[in-house]
Every structure is written in C-alpha cells, then in structure tokens.
Amino acid sequence: MSSDKAGLIFRAHYFDDRAAWQGLCDLLRDIFEIDVSGLDRLGGPDPTSAPFGFFDADGTCIANITAFAMPLVIDGVFVRAAGLQSGAVRPSHRGRGLYRAVMEAALDHCNAEGFEAVVLLTDTPALYEKHGFRPLPQHRFAGVPPTGGRAFATRRLHLANEADLTLLSRLLDGRAPVSDRFAPLRQKEMFLFNASLMPDLKLDLLEEAGAVVAWQADGEGNVDILDIVGTRMPALADILASLDVTPQRVTVHFAPDHLAWDGEAIADDGEMVLMLRGPDDLQPALPFALPPMAAF
C-alpha cells in the first residue's frame, strides 16, 4: 500500500524490487559513503528486513529507515527485539517531515509484530529521544591477558572463499550468545557486512572448539577481540593460546562473562550511541557492549 507526500511515493517492504533496493543503496552511498550493495555477494540483506521509504517519480530513494528482527539476551533473559538501521534523508528534502513519517511507520510495524523492544545506533541521540528511545551506556573490557590456555588447531577464514563463507554463515545461524549481559542471538548479515569492510580483521576458526574469533592486533602488543561465533564460548586463555599471540594488553568489546576472565570496564567514548525503546526495567544492570561485528 502506498501514499503520496510532497509529490513523493511512500513504499514499504520493497526489497523484492531490485530497482528500489538499488535506490536505497544509492541513498546510503550518497549520505554515508557506504556501499551496502556488497550484501548481495554475501547472501543479501536480512530476510526479516522491513524497509519504509519515500521515492520520487524517477525511482530515487529520498528517505528511508529499515526495521529488522534482532533477538537479544539481556541479563540472561530472551527479548524479542527489533533493530532500526539505514535511516537517512537526502539534504534536498530535509525539514519536510519525511523522516518522522518513515520512523512512525517503522515503529508501528514493530508494535504490530509484537516486538518487546527496539534498538538502534546513532550519533544524534536527541533525534530519537522524542520517539521514546533512551541511551544505554556501553563499555569495553581491558586488562592483562590470561595465560596457560589450551591451544586448539586454527584456520584463517576468508570471505572471498565460498566454502569459508558457507561455514561462517552456518555458525552464525546457530551461534550462542557471546554474553548473557547483552548480546544478539542472530545478526548474520551485519556480521558478514561489517567483516567485509574491515581489511585488517582476522577471522580464525578454532576447529576443535567449533568457534570463530573475530580479532585485530595493532602491532604494538595489543589485541582486540571483537566477537566470537560458536555454539559455546572458549575461555579467553584458550583463544589467545590458539591464536599464538602473547599481547601486553587485551581488550574485549563485549561483556566477558563467558570467557573465564575479568577485564576493567572502560566507558565507551565513541560517537555512536546505543539506544533502546522499551519498558523502563529492560536495561542491563552490569557493564556491557554490543559487539562491533553486530553494529548496524
């Protein structure tokens, strides 16, 4: 169903239209300089996606926001949540209420689908507070790395290798939550897309553990663990032994409650703010972070 506003056509659930999908890709490239068309090679956009946008008569996407299913674990409790992403309006059409209209359509969709919460990442949190969102403070966890772990055989995975991509996709489909404090239960498409944008990211399969570690090293004795994909979480000591690294300092970018290690919780000072719309009591009580590979 569509309606006109300011000479534009409102469209919803349009990802089955290749021209409209390309229109959204063009919008995000023009506004954010990000080419999301790379998702096509990785299996396509999240199949739960529900986009809401305005298009002009030539098929140019003028404004958009997309809702998608993002089930979460928050303090050990399963939460049927949704995420919002790909929010943008072309500068030539700002100030006309288009973004408010697509936001309201997306939130109406989330309410109709029975989602208990909605989350998003933004560098303009005040824009979303008027829609009932509140910021959630995030932390990373840093400290002296553990030693004495068991070394598993490892193999480097490459997204350009179809067999590796298939293996990683399967593990992402059946992954366990990386933390019980706050973690997505699935977000395969964003993990693969984010990995494709990070040339220095290492994806190492710990074969006996059946887990893939997404990590980076800065060459100065520091290792960053960005995410772990598997049916169970290896201990951090085992991960470092398997990767055959002896860093001076390790930073884990999610709550390490499954890693048999405690780091110092350091408040995130980045520009992007995680925001949640839901009941007031739905908030992690302990320091946590959304794993960077799940950023959207």
Side-chain angles (χ1 to χ4, degrees):
M1 184 175 182
S2 64
S3 62
D4 289 327
K5 180 168 182 166
L8 301 176
I9 305 298
F10 174 78
R11 296 191 62 179
H13 307 279
Y14 61 77
F15 278 178
D16 57 346
D17 182 332
R18 292 296 303 173
W21 162 246
Q22 185 58 53
L24 175 59
C25 293
D26 294 342
L27 172 67
L28 298 179
R29 182 199 62 222
D30 294 344
I31 300 299
F32 301 119
E33 299 182 351
I34 296 176
D35 183 8
V36 299
S37 65
L39 281 168
D40 291 334
R41 186 187 68 80
L42 300 171
D46 188 327
T48 70
S49 295
F52 302 90
F54 283 98
F55 292 76
D56 69 12
D58 296 324
T60 301
C61 186
I62 303 300
N64 183 85
I65 197 161
T66 300
F68 60 97
M70 188 180 180
L72 297 170
V73 169
I74 299 179
D75 283 343
V77 177
F78 170 78
V79 177
R80 188 167 182 264
L84 297 181
Q85 65 181 359
S86 303
V89 182
R90 291 190 178 275
S92 59
H93 288 73
R94 291 173 183 167
R96 303 186 186 184
L98 299 179
Y99 198 64
R100 182 175 66 252
V102 295
M103 173 62 74
E104 290 174 353
L107 293 178
D108 286 347
H109 163 80
C110 293
N111 290 337
E113 290 294 312
F115 288 112
E116 303 168 70
V118 185
V119 294
L120 57 82
L121 284 166
T122 181
D123 60 356
T124 55
L127 178 64
Y128 296 96
E129 289 174 350
K130 66 184 72 174
H131 294 286
F133 287 86
R134 63 182 186 274
L136 295 180
Q138 298 195 81
H139 295 75
R140 60 188 184 278
F141 301 81
V144 176
T147 59
R150 173 189 174 190
F152 297 102
T154 65
R155 180 168 69 84
R156 181 70 46 84
L157 302 184
H158 301 278
L159 295 183
N161 182 296
E162 288 300 321
D164 287 351
L165 179 59
T166 298
L167 171 61
L168 182 55
S169 296
R170 178 174 58 79
L171 289 172
L172 284 162
D173 282 333
R175 71 178 303 174
V178 74
S179 167
D180 284 338
R181 298 184 194 173
F182 188 97
L185 286 174
R186 71 164 304 276
Q187 201 173 17
K188 176 174 70 175
E189 292 76 16
M190 286 312 304
F191 184 105
L192 296 175
F193 181 66
N194 287 329
S196 72
L197 298 178
M198 303 169 68
D200 59 344
L201 179 74
K202 299 174 177 63
L203 296 171
D204 282 347
L205 171 66
L206 280 56
E207 295 187 285
E208 294 173 68
V212 172
V213 179
W215 66 289
Q216 294 173 319
D218 65 4
E220 298 181 359
N222 301 307
V223 163
D224 289 81
I225 306 296
L226 304 185
D227 208 343
I228 303 169
V229 180
T231 55
R232 62 183 178 87
M233 298 297 109
L236 183 58
D238 294 344
I239 291 172
L240 296 176
S242 301
L243 300 179
D244 194 24
V245 292
T246 53
Q248 297 178 16
R249 186 174 177 84
V250 63
T251 301
V252 176
H253 292 260
F254 50 86
D257 47 298
H258 289 326
L259 299 185
W261 173 83
D262 290 315
E264 177 189 1
I266 301 172
D268 182 23
D269 57 1
E271 293 182 356
M272 300 303 291
V273 177
L274 179 65
M275 304 193 76
L276 180 143
R277 182 178 189 262
D280 291 340
D281 60 354
L282 188 61
Q283 183 155 336
L286 297 169
F288 76 96
L290 178 71
M293 303 307 297
F296 51 94

